[in-house]
Amino acid sequence: MTATLADPSPVPGAHAADAVTMRRAIAASAMGNATEWFDYGIYAYGVTYISAALFPGDMDEAVLFALATFAISFLVRPLGGLFWGPLGDRLGRKSVLALTILMMAGATLCVGLIPNHASIGMWAPALLIVLRMVQGFSTGGEYGGAATFMAEYAPDDRRGFFGSFLEFGTLAGFSLGASLMLGFSLTLGEDAMHQWGWRIPFLIAGPMGLVGMYLRSKMEDTPIFREHASREEAAPTPGLRLLMRRYRRPMLVVGGLVVALNVVNYTLLSYMPTYLQRRIGLSPDEALIVPIIGMLFMMAFLPFAGKLSDRVGRRPMWRVSLIGLLVGAVPLYLLMGTGLMGAIVGFALLGLLYVPQLATISATFPALFPTRVRFAGFAIAYNVSTSIFGGTAPAVNSGLITLTGNELMPAFTMMLACVVGLFALRFMPETAGKSLQGDPFAQEAQA
């Protein structure tokens, strides 16, 4: 049953922001997202160095353990969503986001300080697991909060365009992490990278977190949240049980779409360097160059895709992306297997097919929930689905290839995820150009 409780009628122009404030909101939101994905980038693209330094056993086992540790952080993300989401709906978006970015950046910095396995034995992977869990807990509130913050600041008719810059920050952070790993690898050489060079990118996360916290501390909370909180008649934020009962439909829709979104995301971005190096046979440097070029290519199209979604709607953008990936995954993976140039072209085309989803996340998902449960509903649904299907994708893909001997298993998992996404898309109401005040599922039912 969908909620029948909607926010009061919107006040015209109540959540409009001037150009300067909008730019600050973009910077504050995107910086946290960039810091989060900077960590994913340096971890995913430095996994061979991390596994050799912190894990015992032969290289294949160490890499699998390192990928499994990558997945562990996602297991606690739902706990982060359960904790930070309701807190953000009660206290405001800004307060939560200032805390999550500090926790996330601090944990990433500490990863770079863990002694080698040769020095402290099993304490090395144990400390890594604890820090990855801290990162996952903070990320459980970071992404949902940043997307909500961005969506609530953006004007209704340009939410897709402005929201796309949040994902621009995603790819900027990810590509920065990858570029640093590649740059230090080329400059220092393999021996130095294995000994100490892999740690440097992790240490850079500390200053990035401080910059992000500063930017967020200078912002007011979103106008639409302040307006909602100032109403004497505004109902209190519901508990988890009430949230799951009254807002089950939007949470299931978001969860289904996130299966497609993040299986593709983590297969394409996080697992790709390992796949290209260990399965396709590219050199470590070539395996980093391919995704970096592809991500820069994707970044160029993100604002255009976001702007287009404001005109044609979110549903058509998602449908084109999901069907395109369903049809193109296997041929493009075969193309990537032909060598360096094939890998560059194949990755870029997969990325281009993925862009319509990526560009519209923060315009699509927050708009499916009314204001009083937006942070919590989005954070919980997004993180539960991500923890089960997204963060496990690199380890699952690696394990499936080992089990079956089929190098196309990542393409097959992407295709299966897209089928789930297409099913969920059937039940998603169109929200482009509509006010964030209200419940789109209830409005659709009444219509």
Side-chain angles (χ1 to χ4, degrees), residues 2 26 62 116 120 178 214 219 224 227 238 286 306 313 316 366 379 387 416 430 438:
T2 309
I26 291 172
N116 288 353
I120 61 172
Y214 173 79
M219 290 293 300
I224 195 170
E227 178 193 340
E286 289 174 338
S387 69
L416 180 60
E430 181 59 69

Side-chain angles (χ1 to χ4, degrees), residues 101 121 138 148 153 174 193 216 240 242 269 366 381 388 398 420:
I101 193 172
S138 60
T148 298
Y153 257 110
F174 208 95
M193 282 297 291
R216 289 175 175 182
L240 178 61
L242 192 61
L269 301 185
I388 298 172
S398 182
V420 175

Side-chain angles (χ1 to χ4, degrees), residues 95-139:
S95 301
V96 168
L97 289 173
L99 291 172
T100 56
I101 193 172
L102 273 184
M103 286 182 63
M104 188 166 51
T108 303
L109 183 148
C110 288
V111 170
L113 301 176
I114 300 175
N116 288 353
H117 179 268
S119 301
I120 61 172
M122 293 306 295
W123 282 106
L127 287 172
L128 178 62
I129 289 170
V130 169
L131 291 172
R132 293 297 298 171
M133 292 177 72
V134 172
Q135 289 169 327
F137 184 77
S138 60
T139 303

Side-chain angles (χ1 to χ4, degrees), residues 35-170:
T35 303
E36 174 190 347
W37 283 89
F38 176 79
D39 163 66
Y40 289 145
I42 56 180
Y43 193 95
Y45 291 15
V47 69
T48 54
Y49 302 118
I50 297 167
S51 56
L54 303 182
F55 288 88
D58 62 36
M59 196 58 183
D60 286 336
E61 290 180 350
V63 169
L64 187 57
F65 283 136
L67 290 174
T69 303
F70 179 83
I72 283 173
S73 68
F74 289 85
L75 298 180
V76 297
R77 282 182 66 157
L79 298 178
L82 287 168
F83 178 80
W84 298 112
L87 201 63
D89 284 327
R90 288 199 304 270
L91 302 181
R93 304 9 176 160
K94 170 186 168 180
S95 301
V96 168
L97 289 173
L99 291 172
T100 56
I101 193 172
L102 273 184
M103 286 182 63
M104 188 166 51
T108 303
L109 183 148
C110 288
V111 170
L113 301 176
I114 300 175
N116 288 353
H117 179 268
S119 301
I120 61 172
M122 293 306 295
W123 282 106
L127 287 172
L128 178 62
I129 289 170
V130 169
L131 291 172
R132 293 297 298 171
M133 292 177 72
V134 172
Q135 289 169 327
F137 184 77
S138 60
T139 303
E142 169 61 36
Y143 187 76
T148 298
F149 191 82
M150 177 75 81
E152 290 184 345
Y153 257 110
D156 295 331
D157 59 349
R158 302 190 71 193
R159 193 176 303 125
F161 173 70
F162 286 118
S164 68
F165 287 98
L166 186 65
E167 306 313 321
F168 193 93
T170 293

